[in-house]
Amino acid sequence: MTGATLIDKIWRGHVVIGEEGEPDLLYIDLHLIHEASSPQAFDGLRVAGRVVRRPDLTLAMEDHNVPTNTLELTEPSGREMVESLRRNCELHGIELFRLGDRRQGIVHVVAPEQGFVLPGMTVICGDSHTSTHGAFGALAFGVGTSDVEHVLATQTLPLPKPRSMRVEFMGDLPQGVTSKDLILALIAKIGANGANSHIIEYCGTAISRLSMEARMTMCNMTIEAGARAGLIAPDDTTFEYLSRTPHAPRGRAWERAVTAWRKLPSDRDDALFDNAVTFDASSLSPFVTWGTNPGQAAPIDGFVPDPSLFSDQREKSAAARSLEYMALEPGRPIASIEIDTVFIGSCTNGRIEDLRAAAEILKGRKVAESVTMIVVPGSMEVRRQAENENLHEVFLAAGAQWRLSGCSMCLGMNPDRLQGRKRCVSTSNRNYEARQGPQVMTHLASPAVAAASAITGCITAPATIAM
Amino acid sequence: MKPFVSLVGRGAVLRIDNVDTDQIIAAEDCKRLAKSGFADALFARWRAKPDFFLNRPEYAKASILIAGENFGTGSSREHAAWALRDWGFRAVFASSFGDIFRRNALKNGLLAIQLDGALLEWLRRLVEDNPELNISVLLKEKTIAVAGESIPFTVDDRARWLLLNGYDEIEVTLTKAAQIELYERAREEWLPTHLPSRPEPSNVVRVRP
Ligand code: SF4
């Protein structure tokens, strides 16, 4: 018999009913909900006369539509969605971290920092970046509103088991290169559809040395490679992080849990994956996107590519389309592109480490005249922690805005959406056309690159800012 | 739901790969509480260009969207499927799909059908040359009948079974309630649970927009 992967083990442990030729009925340990994808699901329950099966395994957050400069819901349409969530949570007895609550923030930042996501769990949310929680060795994936309704009603999902892919990163990340760069480089290599329908398990030295925050960044963006989910085996880094969270198990329960978690990693020699790739992480430099999907990225010391040199006809036309939208000419050095907006935040890079990395570069410096910079902590907890460390003083002194928590400029759904033909360096996860506003051009980058770019007003490698 | 067995309609070719859900429907247009009425928001920004495929008269009656690779990548917003359906599409052909989009589409009776890349290209040329061509999608047989040819396709088997019978998936799962309960009794007691607590009021927050 061959060994089992981490994915196999979690999957097996959650099959309620498994019949040959049928999708497995998978039990869901944690269902995260937010105001943007749940109203129609609750409405479906109401119409069918159904109830929420496990309100105690459901946790709700207000994040996509909330403003970040006030605790008042200023936009009528956004307020309607949030109020609908409040009514639904009240009606069904679901825990909700409302705007103004000390624990409020982006769902994928809050759930882990509160200790609600544990190794070996299954987690779903009506949001594609649910893959974030894979950093804890949990199987976590995004679903649409119909599946949200299904989980509300049954706490299960019928799912065929996806194929697995092992991605190993050898070597150590060079100084100044972050997990954001690692994942952007990976997607650039395999493409925005390179892991279609797979669950990725990340491993290798570069991964095991990453902090939990950095691992969350990796797993968060796994969806941008077309994957269903991404996860990392739990280890001492995971346990250490969890032991500091308010809701992780305590005492005897903790010990029993850790014993179970230690058995989760893929069996070393004989676990079978459907696909495997290996990358060398030691020669990477910071990556920045130049196009309109996350796979269109290049090293910061590289150039905007020339579509006419692409051999693949479809890649050629895709690149030409992207460059037209992005108003970039082939051959231009990436590090010469002028920008006018910098956004630090989102469930990809809105955690305390990300704010520290940005503050480190901004310390004693000023944001360029031509640039508007906003810093949006991923949660109110992150905000408090940053203020304890006086990071907010650094941002404010540099001329950046220090905001409350929410999805903010990651997507054009709340009052932080950009207007006009702005060019933004963003630490978020999607550079799609118009993602941040109807005509906005987005360059994805790490917090360090974003901060360095804010100072100079054009895309800038952190290493070139004298420390 | 009414059973979905087959469909006959015209195609419309969209020659762009990696069409993401933000293009199908912008976040701003997802701020409605209803599950329908999204037709006006479909591809709203791209539709502003006169030569966009949805603006072409020859595609006015199309009910089958013939796309490229990785259609519906990105966000989980089911509004993308609702908008396509509300516009009048009943099927989307692509060589691959964003996973969440594919599930969402099938749950709303929008057939997300995967075709081999070469066959897809053949079909795209065929429809571009003759937009009035009738295309039959036979869900039971998992084939497309067009121009005297019969092309096999791939579709999620479970979704196909639900559609052919017009079953409500939640209803089907609810018949398994006893097994779900059995599973629940064996869950580890240290797994997290949440019950409503009072909202914790924040301290005074400093805001400097
Ligand atoms: S921060 Fe962006 S990616 Fe993350 S949950 Fe919010 S909108 Fe989605």
Side-chain angles (χ1 to χ4, degrees):
Chain A
M1 210 178 111
T2 53
T5 64
L6 166 61
I7 301 160
D8 295 332
K9 294 178 195 183
I10 302 177
W11 194 275
R12 267 184 221 155
H14 289 84
V15 174
V16 176
I17 303 171
E19 280 162 12
E20 188 65 29
E22 292 275 315
D24 291 328
L25 189 65
L26 212 63
Y27 198 80
I28 305 303
D29 290 320
L30 173 62
H31 185 189
L32 302 168
I33 60 178
H34 59 83
E35 81 286 352
S37 62
S38 67
Q40 291 90 345
F42 280 108
D43 207 45
L45 289 187
R46 185 181 59 78
V47 170
R50 292 172 181 144
V51 293
V52 176
R53 180 178 177 88
R54 294 296 299 262
D56 62 328
L57 303 186
T58 313
L59 179 64
M61 211 70 54
E62 300 174 357
D63 54 9
H64 283 64
N65 287 274
V66 302
T68 58
N69 57 353
T70 165
L71 292 175
E72 193 175 318
L73 291 160
T74 41
E75 276 193 342
S77 53
R79 185 172 59 226
E80 221 183 303
M81 304 200 76
V82 171
E83 284 174 350
S84 152
L85 181 69
R86 289 178 183 173
R87 280 194 304 275
N88 289 325
C89 288
E90 178 87 42
L91 183 67
H92 294 277
I94 293 167
E95 172 84 294
L96 168 66
F97 294 173
R98 295 164 62 124
L99 188 61
D101 190 300
R102 292 170 61 93
R103 302 159 299 183
Q104 181 267 344
I106 306 169
V107 59
H108 309 311
V109 176
V110 174
E113 78 188 0
Q114 292 289 332
F116 290 136
V117 178
L118 305 176
M121 280 173 63
T122 48
V123 182
I124 71 123
C125 175
D127 189 278
S128 54
H129 293 97
T130 309
S131 57
T132 310
H133 310 284
F136 291 81
L139 183 59
F141 46 86
V143 297
T145 298
S146 294
D147 279 340
V148 168
E149 185 179 338
H150 193 284
V151 176
L152 286 173
T154 70
Q155 204 58 33
T156 62
L157 263 190
L159 273 184
K161 190 174 169 206
R163 280 171 298 174
S164 60
M165 183 169 182
R166 180 174 181 272
V167 177
E168 181 173 3
F169 289 100
M170 321 274 281
D172 269 328
L173 281 180
Q175 182 75 22
V177 179
T178 67
S179 69
K180 180 63 163 288
D181 306 307
L182 197 57
I183 186 72
L184 283 174
L186 174 72
I187 303 167
K189 181 117 182 179
I190 68 175
N193 198 25
N196 184 267
S197 302
H198 285 73
I199 299 178
I200 297 181
E201 181 183 340
Y202 295 107
C203 58
T205 19
I207 297 295
S208 56
R209 297 207 178 131
L210 293 178
S211 67
M212 289 314 293
E213 284 86 351
R215 292 179 188 185
M216 284 189 252
T217 305
M218 284 296 292
C219 291
N220 173 280
M221 282 202 71
T222 300
I223 179 85
E224 310 306 339
R228 202 84 184 78
L231 35 64
I232 294 170
D235 58 11
D236 289 335
T237 307
T238 322
F239 307 149
E240 200 277 324
Y241 178 100
L242 283 171
S243 68
R244 288 182 281 116
T245 62
H247 293 278
R250 299 254 172 271
R252 290 277 306 278
W254 169 261
E255 259 136 55
R256 279 205 300 279
V258 173
T259 308
W261 297 340
R262 289 211 188 272
K263 295 185 189 134
L264 284 171
S266 297
D267 298 332
R268 199 159 288 223
D269 300 318
D270 53 357
L272 271 185
F273 290 84
D274 298 303
N275 270 305
V277 277
T278 304
F279 291 95
D280 178 12
S282 63
S283 56
L284 269 187
S285 45
F287 259 63
V288 179
T289 62
W290 49 264
T292 56
N293 76 54
Q296 294 175 321
I300 197 162
D301 46 6
F303 302 87
V304 173
D306 183 348
S308 70
L309 301 178
F310 284 39
S311 55
D312 183 291
Q313 197 53 43
R314 294 175 38 198
E315 265 182 48
K316 183 181 289 190
S317 66
R321 253 191 94 82
S322 296
L323 291 192
E324 191 193 330
Y325 179 83
M326 294 296 288
L328 291 173
E329 62 283 2
R332 174 141 180 208
I334 300 276
S336 75
I337 301 169
E338 287 175 9
I339 51 117
D340 47 50
T341 310
V342 171
F343 167 55
I344 294 195
S346 88
C347 60
T348 313
N349 282 125
R351 298 188 177 78
I352 189 66
E353 264 191 10
D354 303 313
L355 302 192
R356 284 182 194 138
E360 166 109 9
I361 285 170
L362 279 173
K363 198 164 195 160
R365 298 197 170 83
K366 290 262 178 227
V367 173
E369 278 294 318
S370 54
V371 172
T372 304
M373 177 178 186
I374 73 167
V375 184
V376 186
S379 71
M380 292 305 281
E381 188 61 48
V382 168
R383 186 180 146 106
R384 248 187 326 280
Q385 172 73 23
E387 292 191 344
N388 288 341
E389 298 176 19
N390 283 323
L391 304 182
H392 66 306
E393 304 285 5
V394 175
F395 296 127
L396 289 167
Q401 300 173 23
W402 178 238
R403 296 292 188 93
L404 304 172
S405 181
C407 292
S408 185
M409 218 176 260
C410 174
L411 90 173
M413 197 169 210
N414 55 64
D416 293 346
R417 89 183 67 76
L418 284 166
Q419 301 296 337
R421 195 86 170 123
K422 291 283 190 324
R423 191 184 290 279
C424 179
V425 172
S426 177
T427 66
S428 55
N429 43 46
R430 282 183 179 147
N431 52 339
Y432 298 156
E433 287 182 29
R435 169 85 175 173
Q436 298 185 291
Q439 300 173 62
V440 179
M441 299 163 282
T442 304
H443 295 275
L444 301 178
S446 72
V449 170
S453 307
I455 295 167
T456 62
C458 67
I459 294 177
T460 300
T464 61
I465 302 273
M467 284 307 202
Chain B
M1 268 209 293
K2 275 206 318 247
F4 190 139
V5 180
S6 63
L7 132 81
V8 183
R10 292 183 188 178
V13 179
L14 171 60
R15 279 197 179 269
I16 303 175
D17 291 331
N18 297 310
V19 172
D20 61 74
T21 44
D22 278 66
Q23 309 315 316
I24 302 175
I25 184 168
E28 180 61 20
D29 289 321
C30 296
K31 294 163 74 171
R32 303 177 200 169
L33 300 176
K35 229 176 176 172
S36 59
F38 293 95
D40 59 324
L42 180 67
F43 288 118
R45 223 173 31 85
W46 284 356
R47 240 167 63 210
K49 294 183 197 147
D51 63 339
F52 187 58
F53 84 118
L54 286 182
N55 296 329
R56 296 208 203 125
E58 68 267 31
Y59 290 153
K61 291 188 184 149
S63 59
I64 300 169
L65 173 57
I66 310 178
E69 189 188 316
N70 200 21
F71 184 83
T73 183
S75 151
S76 65
R77 59 187 70 160
E78 201 154 313
H79 312 68
W82 299 333
L84 286 161
R85 181 204 57 196
D86 291 351
W87 179 269
F89 286 114
R90 303 199 58 209
V92 185
F93 299 167
S95 59
S96 60
F97 288 97
D99 273 313
I100 309 179
F101 172 81
R102 179 179 43 214
R103 271 180 84 83
N104 289 345
L106 289 164
K107 286 182 186 240
N108 289 280
L110 177 70
L111 292 184
I113 283 175
Q114 198 169 334
L115 284 177
D116 165 82
L119 283 177
L120 184 71
E121 183 51 33
W122 173 79
L123 188 61
R124 298 206 286 188
R125 294 234 171 99
L126 207 63
V127 171
E128 279 167 341
D129 289 346
N130 182 7
E132 286 173 19
L133 202 67
N134 270 331
I135 304 171
S136 304
V137 183
L138 309 170
L139 186 57
K140 198 164 187 176
E141 295 78 7
K142 289 202 270 187
T143 54
I144 293 165
V146 62
E149 303 282 339
S150 176
I151 324 176
F153 63 74
T154 318
V155 67
D156 180 272
D157 279 329
R158 163 76 168 207
R160 174 169 158 267
W161 174 74
L162 291 168
L163 285 166
L164 286 173
N165 293 290
Y167 291 149
D168 167 4
E169 187 167 33
I170 297 180
E171 206 55 58
V172 173
T173 304
L174 284 173
T175 63
K176 317 273 166 70
Q179 280 123 304
I180 298 174
E181 215 175 304
L182 211 62
Y183 178 92
E184 282 176 328
R185 279 198 226 128
R187 290 178 80 233
E188 298 286 357
E189 93 291 350
W190 45 261
L191 286 165
T193 56
H194 330 267
L195 281 172
S197 59
R198 288 170 158 278
E200 292 185 24
S202 58
N203 302 324
V204 178
V205 278
R206 271 164 294 163
V207 182
R208 257 195 250 177

